[in-house]
Amino acid sequence: MLSNTNIRQDYIVLEPHSALGEYWITLDEKGERRFTFAREHSPVRQYFNRDETLTQALHNKDIDAIYLSGISLAILCESQRKHLFEALAAFKNRGGLIFFDNNYRQTLWRSDNPKLSYQAVMALADIAFLTDEDEYAVYGSANVDEIIAEHKKQSSQLLVIRQGAQPCVIAPPNNSSSIYIAAQNIAPQLILDTCGAGDAFAAGFLAHWLKGCDLQAAVCFAHQVAAEVIQHHGALISADFLPKLVTQE
């Protein structure tokens, strides 16, 4: 089943007697956002207890890749996170690709320590999209070199480290030298809303990378997409505003 945006809905679970979780976004004068959550009783917190469709798809490798984030981990209880990690490990063993965005929201974790959960999913991820400030909050690291060193101790995925207006840092899985790629230069008065910037960046990167483009081209396109998104209100903007995906055949 497809939505009106051509997104398949096979793994959506309907709970007609439950209320959706909510969150509110407050923007400052620079377009930076702050979140307030009301998700304590959101039905998604019981997703894996209610339905096994996605779990079975991962075990059977019915899909090619899965993209999840720190929010995906935060909204689940410890037993469901363990269930998810086991399914992800089976999926990876069958050749599935795992993309992870650190996307840390402290208030969603309540009393749980996020570090062990982040380490568990990072050990499986093929590509990790990391925002530097989120890494500092989870691991206590102080700079990009420490971020890279932390993850290279236990895994060998491609690290894509976003630093806002500062250059993006690519740490290849083969431990070769890191690559720094400058962000788009956007005048401060044009930045209206940074909501969705990280997701836009990851989408732009994957759109190029999955077509076989090199890392430099993928990151440059990712910067273009994110730069356009932050010049509009809302995380979802009209496709007419987005840069077109053009690749060499």
Side-chain angles (χ1 to χ4, degrees):
M1 182 170 61
L2 294 177
S3 70
N4 57 7
T5 53
N6 292 318
I7 297 175
R8 292 182 61 176
Q9 302 179 58
D10 307 55
Y11 306 108
I12 292 177
V13 179
L14 298 179
E15 290 288 337
H17 303 297
S18 298
L20 290 174
E22 298 178 310
Y23 69 95
W24 297 265
I25 302 170
T26 304
L27 299 175
D28 65 18
E29 64 280 0
K30 296 181 180 179
E32 291 295 335
R33 73 277 192 275
R34 181 171 59 85
F35 298 98
T36 304
F37 296 97
R39 284 180 165 172
E40 188 63 30
H41 302 292
S42 173
V44 74
R45 287 191 174 277
Q46 298 299 320
Y47 179 82
F48 289 105
N49 289 336
R50 288 186 163 101
D51 191 90
E52 286 289 308
T53 305
L54 177 57
T55 303
Q56 292 170 1
L58 290 170
H59 277 280
N60 297 332
K61 198 181 175 291
D62 294 333
I63 54 179
D64 297 317
I66 184 170
Y67 181 105
L68 67 159
S69 78
I71 295 176
S72 310
L73 306 182
I75 60 176
L76 299 174
C77 64
E78 184 176 351
S79 63
Q80 288 184 90
R81 285 198 293 269
K82 181 180 179 182
H83 181 84
L84 172 60
F85 297 150
E86 290 171 350
L88 290 174
F91 179 62
K92 188 176 182 70
N93 286 338
R94 283 179 168 266
L97 293 173
I98 300 172
F99 308 133
F100 177 65
D101 187 323
N102 62 356
N103 218 352
Y104 176 61
R105 300 288 181 267
Q106 181 179 6
T107 55
L108 290 179
W109 285 90
R110 297 169 291 177
S111 60
D112 293 343
N113 182 352
K115 186 173 179 180
L116 292 178
S117 294
Y118 273 73
Q119 289 174 329
V121 75
M122 285 294 292
L124 298 169
D126 294 280
I127 299 180
F129 296 98
L130 308 177
T131 298
D132 56 351
E133 292 181 352
D134 290 351
E135 287 294 291
Y136 303 151
V138 174
Y139 294 97
S141 47
N143 54 55
V144 170
D145 289 340
E146 290 186 9
I147 292 173
I148 295 171
E150 172 69 34
H151 296 302
K152 294 304 182 184
K153 288 188 301 186
Q154 64 161 352
S155 53
S156 59
Q157 71 278 104
L158 172 67
L159 302 179
V160 182
I161 305 171
R162 301 163 299 204
Q163 302 187 96
Q166 300 303 310
C168 173
V169 183
I170 301 295
N174 58 7
N175 290 320
S176 59
S177 299
S178 298
I179 305 167
Y180 289 72
I181 302 173
Q184 294 277 301
N185 185 19
I186 305 296
Q189 66 271 21
L190 297 180
I191 300 175
L192 300 180
D193 186 347
T194 57
C195 290
D199 293 328
F201 182 100
F205 180 94
L206 289 173
H208 256 271
W209 185 81
L210 290 170
K211 284 182 172 290
C213 296
D214 62 33
L215 292 175
Q216 178 102 17
V219 173
C220 287
F221 186 69
H223 278 316
Q224 291 178 44
V225 177
E228 187 62 47
V229 166
I230 65 176
Q231 294 181 69
H232 302 269
H233 283 295
L236 297 176
I237 69 173
S238 170
D240 294 337
F241 292 118
L242 293 172
K244 303 306 178 187
L245 177 62
V246 179
T247 58
Q248 297 294 327
E249 295 296 336

